[in-house]
Amino acid sequence: MPGILRKIAMFSRTPQGRRLTSKARRMASDPRKRSQAKQALSRLRGRGPGRP
């Protein structure tokens, strides 16, 4: 596992990793996107709408 975490840390320091990080932060601050993410997680967990 330390190898995977090291690779993620190395990627986050690259220009592409920085772009993706900033994009994720912008999306997380958007209330509409945040509610969509919560709904998706609840569906995956089997607690939200869309489950019989």
Side-chain angles (χ1 to χ4, degrees), residues 35-36 38-52:
S35 69
Q36 287 175 350
K38 281 184 181 181
Q39 288 174 358
L41 281 174
S42 66
R43 271 185 257 133
L44 286 173
R45 292 178 181 158
R47 298 183 188 154
R51 298 292 273 188

Side-chain angles (χ1 to χ4, degrees), residues 16-33:
Q16 184 181 5
R18 288 185 187 134
R19 277 194 301 271
L20 289 174
T21 302
S22 66
K23 183 178 178 182
R25 283 189 180 134
R26 273 183 280 142
M27 290 178 76
S29 67
D30 182 14
R32 184 169 171 241
K33 292 287 184 184

Side-chain angles (χ1 to χ4, degrees), residues 7-21:
K7 288 180 182 182
I8 292 171
M10 287 173 53
F11 176 74
S12 69
R13 293 183 191 115
T14 65
Q16 184 181 5
R18 288 185 187 134
R19 277 194 301 271
L20 289 174
T21 302

